[in-house]
Amino acid sequence: MGEDVIKKDDLIYLILDSRRKWLVTVEEGGEFQTHKGIIKFDDIIGKPFGSVVFSQPHETQGYKFHVLKPLPSDYVIYMSRKTQIIYPEDAGLILIYSGIGPGSKVIEAGCGSGALTCILGNYVRPNGYIFSYDIRKKSLKKALSNILKAKLQDFVSIQYGDILTEDFGHENIDSIVLDMPQPWRAIEKIKKYLKLSGTLVSFSPTIEQVKKTSSALQKNGFFEINTYELIKRKYQVKENATHPEVRMIGHTGYITFGRKINDVKNPYREKKPRKEEFINLTGMPLRSDEES
Ligand SMILES: C[S@@+](CC[C@H](N)C(=O)[O-])C[C@H]1O[C@@H](n2cnc3c(N)ncnc32)[C@H](O)[C@@H]1O
């Protein structure tokens, strides 16, 4: 396969240095203004991704900018936002542990700024679909503009909808992804949308939310209920000065997963409680000397 050439309307990842990076849509005849000069899009169109461009006027500015093809992780960090967004490492875990991939049908609530929506939309191509809902008009507007910017409108719908109260009428959904304040309140209502063996994913910043969500998943017969937290450390790699970066994000959130199953009581092996499963009236396990 040949090089990917930059065309008009492409989204590019423009990098001046480690702190100054932008996601920009290329417009024919247009330009992008920075404090280090102007990037003329006509200087970029027709060049392969991975090229460099110099800011104008060349004589007084002439700074070097790198032009890369955006990765899903770039969408998240450099997309304009209105709400707290999901970080790339958490999105990666969500993808791998939910099984979301080409062809998956997914419900998402809420879409927020659409950062996670863009990542999910990117991975369900070419024949999957993300049905994304939110109750805030501002979020819906921002998410839609980010989806259009990422050119994912054929794989994603952004709609007003309250997942706690409305009936969306979906069936045979592969995965439901919740990033909203009270995910536990949605579980009973939405489990009917999921196909058997489908995954429910919930991202929450606090342990209090996780406990309520896990308990709701258990009550609703979900299986393989697990919660994870990822801590990412970036490294500065320099001759004689290689070590973890001094500043890091200490906490993003917890991700809880569950699988929908059709549970049936085992008619062949009746489970008898083990000794340590007997509890006394205050909820403590009974020790053997307390049994008689
Ligand atoms: C933290 S943001 C989601 C961020 C998003 N994952 C992203 O990457 O940009 C939480 C969103 O959930 C939405 N929300 C809250 N309750 C909701 C409900 N009952 N149904 C749908 N969306 C809801 C909020 O309006 C808000 O936009």
Side-chain angles (χ1 to χ4, degrees):
M1 238 164 58
E3 302 285 359
D4 275 342
V5 170
I6 303 162
K7 303 181 297 301
K8 83 175 177 67
D9 298 334
D10 274 349
L11 192 62
I12 57 166
Y13 186 29
L14 194 63
I15 304 171
L16 173 61
D17 55 31
S18 61
R19 286 179 299 112
R20 286 164 291 189
K21 308 173 177 188
W22 303 268
L23 273 184
V24 190
T25 304
V26 172
E27 291 160 22
E28 206 169 10
E31 58 188 35
F32 181 67
Q33 308 238 4
T34 78
H35 65 297
K36 295 285 182 195
I38 297 166
I39 300 298
K40 300 263 186 196
F41 292 136
D42 289 348
D43 291 346
I44 301 178
I45 292 173
K47 284 189 173 175
F49 280 101
S51 300
V52 298
V53 60
F54 297 95
S55 58
Q56 297 208 28
H58 288 151
E59 301 69 32
T60 50
Q61 296 287 347
Y63 285 89
K64 181 156 83 176
F65 287 69
H66 295 80
V67 187
L68 297 182
K69 194 167 186 167
L71 298 174
S73 52
D74 304 325
Y75 291 142
V76 179
I77 302 293
Y78 297 101
M79 208 159 231
S80 64
R81 54 183 79 171
K82 280 261 184 284
T83 56
Q84 178 59 48
I85 56 154
I86 292 254
Y87 281 81
E89 57 273 28
D90 293 323
L93 193 85
I94 289 175
L95 282 168
I96 298 291
Y97 280 22
S98 67
I100 294 172
S104 298
K105 305 272 183 294
V106 179
I107 295 175
E108 185 198 24
C111 61
S113 297
L116 181 61
T117 324
C118 283
I119 294 196
L120 300 177
N122 191 59
Y123 282 92
V124 300
R125 288 185 300 183
N127 52 343
Y129 204 79
I130 313 290
F131 304 94
S132 192
Y133 297 94
D134 208 294
I135 48 171
R136 279 173 49 197
K137 294 232 164 74
K138 272 192 180 161
S139 294
L140 293 164
K141 205 169 152 204
K142 178 54 56 193
L144 186 61
S145 109
N146 281 332
I147 294 295
L148 292 171
K149 205 170 171 187
K151 293 202 194 141
L152 288 165
Q153 60 275 20
D154 292 343
F155 311 100
V156 176
S157 67
I158 303 281
Q159 292 171 62
Y160 178 90
D162 186 337
I163 200 153
L164 297 179
T165 56
E166 285 172 49
D167 204 329
F168 298 146
H170 294 297
E171 286 178 347
N172 287 322
I173 292 291
D174 297 289
S175 265
I176 300 179
V177 181
L178 303 176
D179 178 6
M180 51 186 277
Q182 299 186 321
W184 61 92
R185 290 183 56 209
I187 288 164
E188 186 175 3
K189 185 166 184 63
I190 62 180
K191 70 177 177 190
K192 63 175 181 286
Y193 304 146
L194 266 184
K195 57 165 73 155
L196 278 174
S197 193
T199 44
L200 194 140
V201 185
S202 174
F203 178 90
S204 293
T206 73
I207 283 289
E208 286 77 8
Q209 291 166 302
V210 169
K211 284 165 77 177
K212 288 179 187 158
T213 305
S214 296
S215 149
L217 286 169
Q218 264 160 25
K219 273 193 205 127
N220 283 283
F222 279 81
F223 188 59
E224 290 266 81
I225 303 166
N226 293 302
T227 298
Y228 304 92
E229 180 188 15
L230 294 182
I231 310 277
K232 185 175 78 173
R233 287 179 90 172
K234 192 174 176 189
Y235 279 73
Q236 165 186 298
V237 181
K238 274 190 190 161
E239 192 65 31
N240 296 326
T242 300
H243 55 69
E245 283 196 347
V246 178
R247 290 204 185 92
M248 64 183 270
I249 293 167
H251 174 66
T252 57
Y254 306 100
I255 313 171
T256 300
F257 297 86
R259 309 286 301 268
K260 176 169 164 174
I261 54 159
N262 190 8
D263 203 9
V264 172
K265 204 172 167 203
N266 186 343
Y268 307 108
R269 292 179 68 91
E270 200 59 38
K271 188 180 171 241
K272 296 193 182 70
R274 293 200 312 264
K275 246 187 201 168
E276 59 272 25
E277 287 177 9
F278 286 101
I279 56 167
N280 69 16
L281 291 176
T282 55
M284 298 299 287
L286 266 185
R287 294 199 315 267
S288 54
D289 58 346
E290 290 175 323
E291 278 175 36
S292 49

